[in-house]
Amino acid sequence: MSAVLTTPDLRYIVVRGRLWRRANPDLPAERREALVGRLMDARRAVKAAKAAERAGEPDAAAAMKAARAEVDAAKIGLGERGPVWWRDGAPDLNRHLVRNTPYAAWFAALSDGEPEP
């Protein structure tokens, strides 16, 4: 498994050339752990709802909607979605291609867009 590539300002990770907002580093450890646990539970609920859909269960759509809402709520709590956690007025570039952002020159300077081993 390769190291996670993080922007110099520590706001985003880069996955396949796309920026993804990191969790708020100022969250207390206990709060972060609780939210990550909630997120993992919600992701398991999404998986179960998908299986229910494939099985043709009648409540699968409602279960999926609830599970995805829980994923969203956990990600908002972590700071990965919703209002940005930084306070300098910089825009949210979540899900933007790095090459189309102010991080383009930094990213291009990396070897093949990946960190050195």
Side-chain angles (χ1 to χ4, degrees):
M1 188 169 167
S2 65
V4 174
L5 181 59
T6 305
T7 58
D9 58 12
L10 305 177
R11 292 179 181 166
Y12 303 94
I13 63 169
V14 180
V15 178
R16 287 177 277 182
R18 193 170 297 275
L19 297 172
W20 294 92
R21 196 185 328 162
R22 293 183 65 217
N24 182 348
D26 295 328
L27 285 174
E30 289 178 6
R31 177 76 176 137
R32 179 188 310 275
E33 288 176 26
L35 286 165
V36 168
R38 182 177 170 190
L39 176 60
M40 295 300 102
D41 289 344
R43 286 181 171 164
R44 283 188 287 275
V46 168
K47 182 179 179 181
K50 284 182 180 181
E53 283 180 341
R54 285 190 298 274
E57 295 180 19
D59 295 335
M64 179 64 77
K65 184 175 180 177
R68 287 193 168 147
E70 187 63 21
V71 167
D72 191 54
K75 286 185 158 282
I76 289 169
L78 285 165
E80 294 177 10
R81 292 184 185 161
V84 297
W85 45 262
W86 51 89
R87 293 173 174 76
D88 63 2
D92 185 10
L93 302 172
N94 195 37
R95 297 185 176 189
H96 285 71
L97 291 173
V98 181
R99 68 176 182 246
N100 297 331
T101 71
Y103 300 102
W106 161 79
F107 189 67
L110 299 173
S111 172
D112 294 328
E114 295 295 326
E116 294 291 328

